[in-house]
Amino acid sequence: MADRYRAADPENSRKIRFCTFHSLFLSIILEHSDAAPRILDEEERRAILQGIAAEISVPDKTETDAAVSSGLSASEAEEQLYRVYKSYLRENNLIDYEAMITGCYSLLSGSPEICGIYRKRYTHILIDEFQDINKTQYETVKLLLGEGSSLFAVGDDDQCIYGFRGSQPEIMQQMLKDFPDCRRIILNVNYRCTEAINSSSLLLISENRKRIPKMSRAFRGKGSRPRIIGFESSEEQYRFIQDELNTIKSRKTAVIFRSNAQLTAFQKYIDPVGKSMDKVNNPIVRVGKELASAVYSYFAAALAIMSGKCPDDTLLIRIMNLPQRYLTRETLSMDTPGSRRFYHELAFLGGLSPARAWDYLMRSVGLQNCFGGAEADNAAAYLKKLAASCRTLKAASDILLKAAEDMDRPDSGFAAFQASLFPEGMIDGSSEEEALSANRLSLMTYHRSKGLEFDHVYLPDLNDGIIPSRRASGEASIEEERRLLYVGMTRAKDRLTLSYVRGTAENPRMRSRFLEVFDLPPDIEKRT
């Protein structure tokens, strides 16, 4: 979004800040901190929690960790853990992602003067994916709204699927009460799904009670009704999907699962299909592309400095906090120790050979800790490993192997390697999918599928205990599970297949209660 806006209106782009809640709230905290805290990653946070839990003998670390993440406590022991954990962060000048939110809220709510600074700075606030906001984020946004400020929120409470992060559909409903004079713009045309898929999805989600009532119509015509198919076993179900995938040659297709456990179980059936279709969601490929993008951007910025030019803002913003330097767009243009060190690193990088430049970025700058770990130490070996992981992504594989060969050549120049690492179209804002292939198969979870779209979608394993999850209890959690299925269904543009395991007479399985809205007969296959 930021890149597109800067390209459309470069003169005014500096007046607008594009950011996440965490980056905005952290920058506010840092402006009023004597010493910049170090951000804890998830692994460090868990290690600290486990160490403290062991010290004070908290019996259930899993529940304790969940309680600390949400700021809640279910027992006296957990309350004690929470206090000790927060003290540890303060004493060691550390901050976790939850503290960025709660810390900013405490700062603004406790100081009208500080709050006034940011009300003047941010007079217009636009929030995308508003349904994903949690209560503390919402209350912090309200603090930022001063006299004459405007709030523009875009969201759909039917797609609120991050309850584990504190998101609740009630927050969108509360906003209508908090701002009774707000203007509501209803986007009631579905440009993705056919009418058959759209109406089936609406039928499902209308079962939820805690939602803002809404209807939509499809723009693309009637289309085929979703298929709902029951199978005796998971293997029969997966074989059926495999056989159909083998017949799909030129369409974007996704198989979407409730959890990674089901995805992993299905992957062995897909290897033969992978010969004719690309799998773009391989984690190694994804991390490799992110690393390549970071290296490419560092090299491009360094080459600009070597040529006496100022690096493009987009490049600098992409790498200025890889790894975390606590730089902002404002401090990047100021003469501060952090900005001087950053520009010195870029200037030094431009004078190195490709192999030494890679080593400098990984070890001295610290990129290997952001992406590849120790495996990223040897540039050529790492690139070749990524190429092997891209075996069905022919374009990416060839590019990585060429970059590895250039890295190995003793006469290879810095600029030549930078140009061969990835074609420009694969590093810019274009999507990973569009860059790699127009003919592909994607395997993912419901949470990961949000915001994406595919010609044909398969939703397997629609059984009680999977969706809704056996851990879901109470109306709120059941409704969130139904929203998950709704999100999965609405990823499909043309064809949607829902399937479940009905079992056998000796070992029956219960299909998802969510399917009952479609008025299916008991325990038989239905194809419509």
Side-chain angles (χ1 to χ4, degrees), residues 56-115:
I56 63 176
S57 301
V58 174
D60 189 334
K61 296 182 179 60
T62 302
E63 292 184 6
T64 298
D65 190 30
V68 173
S69 295
S70 62
L72 303 175
S73 55
S75 68
E76 184 176 341
E78 289 176 358
E79 289 180 4
Q80 182 183 4
L81 172 61
Y82 186 72
R83 290 195 300 272
V84 174
Y85 173 71
K86 302 305 286 186
S87 296
Y88 182 91
L89 296 188
R90 287 193 299 270
E91 293 169 6
N92 291 276
N93 197 33
L94 301 170
I95 190 170
D96 62 16
Y97 288 100
E98 288 78 17
M100 295 178 197
I101 306 299
T102 57
C104 183
Y105 173 76
S106 298
L107 179 67
L108 296 179
S109 61
S111 174
E113 292 182 0
I114 293 177
C115 192

Side-chain angles (χ1 to χ4, degrees), residues 408-525:
D408 279 337
R409 285 173 44 212
D411 61 336
S412 177
F414 182 94
F417 174 75
Q418 183 264 356
S420 71
L421 182 60
F422 259 76
E424 187 171 351
M426 296 182 70
I427 295 300
D428 63 17
S430 62
S431 71
E432 176 179 298
E433 291 85 354
E434 290 299 325
L436 294 178
S437 175
N439 172 25
R440 61 199 180 271
L441 169 67
S442 296
L443 309 181
M444 61 186 65
T445 62
Y446 287 98
H447 286 100
R448 184 170 176 79
S449 73
K450 189 165 172 288
L452 303 179
E453 61 181 34
F454 305 90
D455 295 326
H456 196 158
V457 168
Y458 291 86
L459 303 178
D461 299 318
L462 300 183
N463 286 84
D464 263 13
I466 296 178
I467 185 164
S469 166
R470 62 176 53 90
R471 293 190 298 271
S473 61
E475 183 182 11
S477 57
I478 293 296
E479 290 203 350
E480 178 165 341
E481 293 284 301
R482 188 179 282 111
R483 291 193 294 270
L484 269 177
L485 182 55
Y486 172 78
V487 166
M489 292 176 66
T490 53
R491 299 311 94 198
K493 295 171 62 178
D494 299 314
R495 296 282 289 168
L496 174 62
T497 301
L498 312 173
S499 63
Y500 62 94
V501 178
R502 65 176 183 269
T504 63
E506 296 78 19
N507 184 25
R509 295 277 302 277
M510 184 176 292
R511 66 188 172 208
S512 173
R513 69 193 73 174
F514 298 152
L515 297 180
E516 301 309 312
V517 71
F518 301 116
D519 193 26
L520 300 178
D523 295 331
I524 66 170
E525 176 182 302

Side-chain angles (χ1 to χ4, degrees), residues 25-186:
F25 294 172
L26 178 61
S27 68
I28 291 175
I29 292 173
L30 293 179
E31 286 190 41
H32 302 278
S33 300
D34 295 329
R38 184 173 69 83
I39 299 175
L40 279 181
D41 61 27
E42 186 62 20
E43 186 175 345
E44 288 180 289
R45 189 184 71 88
R46 287 185 179 277
I48 293 170
L49 283 170
Q50 289 172 358
I52 296 173
E55 189 70 24
I56 63 176
S57 301
V58 174
D60 189 334
K61 296 182 179 60
T62 302
E63 292 184 6
T64 298
D65 190 30
V68 173
S69 295
S70 62
L72 303 175
S73 55
S75 68
E76 184 176 341
E78 289 176 358
E79 289 180 4
Q80 182 183 4
L81 172 61
Y82 186 72
R83 290 195 300 272
V84 174
Y85 173 71
K86 302 305 286 186
S87 296
Y88 182 91
L89 296 188
R90 287 193 299 270
E91 293 169 6
N92 291 276
N93 197 33
L94 301 170
I95 190 170
D96 62 16
Y97 288 100
E98 288 78 17
M100 295 178 197
I101 306 299
T102 57
C104 183
Y105 173 76
S106 298
L107 179 67
L108 296 179
S109 61
S111 174
E113 292 182 0
I114 293 177
C115 192
I117 294 173
Y118 298 101
R119 285 181 172 180
K120 293 179 181 177
R121 183 180 300 181
Y122 302 116
T123 56
H124 297 76
I125 300 175
L126 187 155
I127 303 174
D128 195 17
E129 302 289 357
F130 188 79
Q131 74 279 348
D132 298 335
I133 199 170
N134 65 38
K135 186 174 181 180
T136 307
Q137 291 168 339
Y138 178 54
E139 293 299 326
T140 306
V141 169
K142 287 166 62 179
L143 286 173
L144 291 172
L145 296 173
E147 188 70 27
S149 296
S150 67
L151 172 65
F152 184 2
V154 182
D156 178 6
D157 61 329
D158 288 335
Q159 297 189 56
C160 180
I161 59 174
Y162 294 109
F164 59 91
R165 297 179 185 169
S167 301
Q168 301 171 344
E170 292 87 348
I171 294 176
M172 287 194 70
Q173 299 159 22
Q174 183 63 41
M175 179 189 172
L176 299 178
K177 298 177 182 178
D178 292 340
F179 303 96
D181 297 328
C182 71
R183 179 187 175 194
R184 293 177 59 188
I185 302 173
I186 307 298

